[in-house]
Amino acid sequence: MSASSAARRLTAVALVTGSVVAAAALPASAVQDRNPDRRQVVISDVQYNAPGPDTRSNRSLNGEWVNITNRSRHSVDLRGWTLRNSKGDKYTFRHLRLNGRSTVKVHTGSGRDTRHDVYQDRRHHIWDNRSDRATLSDRRGSVVDTESWGRGRGHDRDRDRGYDRDRGYDRGHDRDRGYDRGHDRDRGHDRGNDRDRGNDHGRHQR
């Protein structure tokens, strides 16, 4: 073997070894960020209108929440991820690894964080009952998922999920069909079936 061939072989071995060492030296968070399973983390359910009057008590605040679900089989590190409303109010996840096929509920008020419940520790309601958007972003600021309701929501996206307003009414919430025996449609909406005020206690489920 010539000296030049031996030198090239040694160089190739060194490059391969260096790549392996570099990959092993990467922090777990960096490896996690490249994991395609992060795309399976979604906003699965939103309770934007806490049951009962908005008294700003801790119980009322914690009645308002957002569910984050990991649909993949592998855990995802949520440390540094954020959840924000359309006004820019932001919650940052601390040390939390969301297991595969599991959900964490993000409450607005105060409480003790667990694997299944975390708290924003706020003293006022963060989600607008009439119109808002919840945005989940990873630690690099890339949007992972969004969920909106009321005016200005993502109509095409909601329609794909079955949240189109017109289709919702066609499935039984249209007062014209339910109350055509003497009940005015507008009066029917005033009695609680107006989607803008939050059907099913202000819950938007995916």
Side-chain angles (χ1 to χ4, degrees):
M1 180 183 296
S2 65
S4 60
S5 298
R8 286 196 298 270
R9 177 169 293 184
L10 288 173
T11 300
V13 171
L15 290 174
V16 171
T17 303
S19 299
V20 172
V21 172
L26 283 174
S29 59
V31 175
Q32 191 67 43
D33 279 342
R34 295 205 310 268
N35 194 330
D37 289 325
R38 93 184 240 294
R39 302 173 187 173
Q40 297 296 320
V41 179
V42 299
I43 298 172
S44 57
D45 198 358
V46 180
Q47 177 76 47
Y48 55 82
N49 186 6
D54 291 347
T55 60
R56 294 192 181 184
S57 67
N58 196 50
R59 180 176 181 179
S60 177
L61 292 172
N62 284 333
E64 183 183 78
W65 45 259
V66 176
N67 274 355
I68 308 298
T69 298
N70 179 6
R71 293 177 172 175
S72 74
R73 295 178 300 171
H74 307 290
S75 66
V76 176
D77 186 3
L78 297 186
R79 181 178 55 181
W81 287 40
T82 61
L83 179 66
R84 69 177 185 274
N85 63 10
S86 59
K87 296 180 180 179
D89 296 318
K90 182 173 63 176
Y91 168 75
T92 302
F93 287 88
R94 295 178 280 274
H95 302 285
L96 176 65
R97 181 172 291 277
L98 186 59
N99 293 331
R101 309 282 194 242
S102 63
T103 296
V104 61
K105 191 184 298 291
V106 184
H107 301 270
T108 298
S110 301
R112 184 173 180 271
D113 291 350
T114 68
R115 288 185 302 172
H116 302 292
D117 294 271
V118 295
Y119 299 85
Q120 299 194 46
D121 296 330
R122 295 184 180 274
R123 296 182 179 179
H124 59 85
H125 292 277
I126 188 174
W127 305 111
D128 193 297
N129 294 347
R130 296 187 62 83
S131 176
D132 210 338
R133 178 186 293 269
T135 301
L136 178 68
S137 302
D138 63 20
R139 64 176 55 85
R140 294 173 296 183
S142 300
V143 174
V144 175
D145 195 23
T146 64
E147 190 69 36
S148 58
W149 56 92
R151 301 184 306 274
R153 68 184 185 185
H155 292 286
D156 293 338
R157 189 164 181 267
D158 287 337
R159 186 156 49 244
D160 290 339
R161 295 181 194 162
Y163 287 107
D164 181 78
R165 182 189 299 266
D166 294 333
R167 285 171 56 192
Y169 285 126
D170 289 342
R171 291 169 183 165
H173 295 285
D174 188 346
R175 285 284 180 165
D176 283 341
R177 297 197 311 186
Y179 290 88
D180 56 359
R181 298 185 183 91
H183 289 270
D184 183 77
R185 179 184 184 122
D186 293 333
R187 284 162 45 195
H189 284 303
D190 289 340
R191 290 172 185 171
N193 285 287
D194 186 349
R195 283 284 182 100
D196 287 337
R197 290 186 300 183
N199 195 21
D200 192 18
H201 300 295
R203 186 171 178 177
H204 197 61
Q205 187 170 7
R206 184 169 177 177

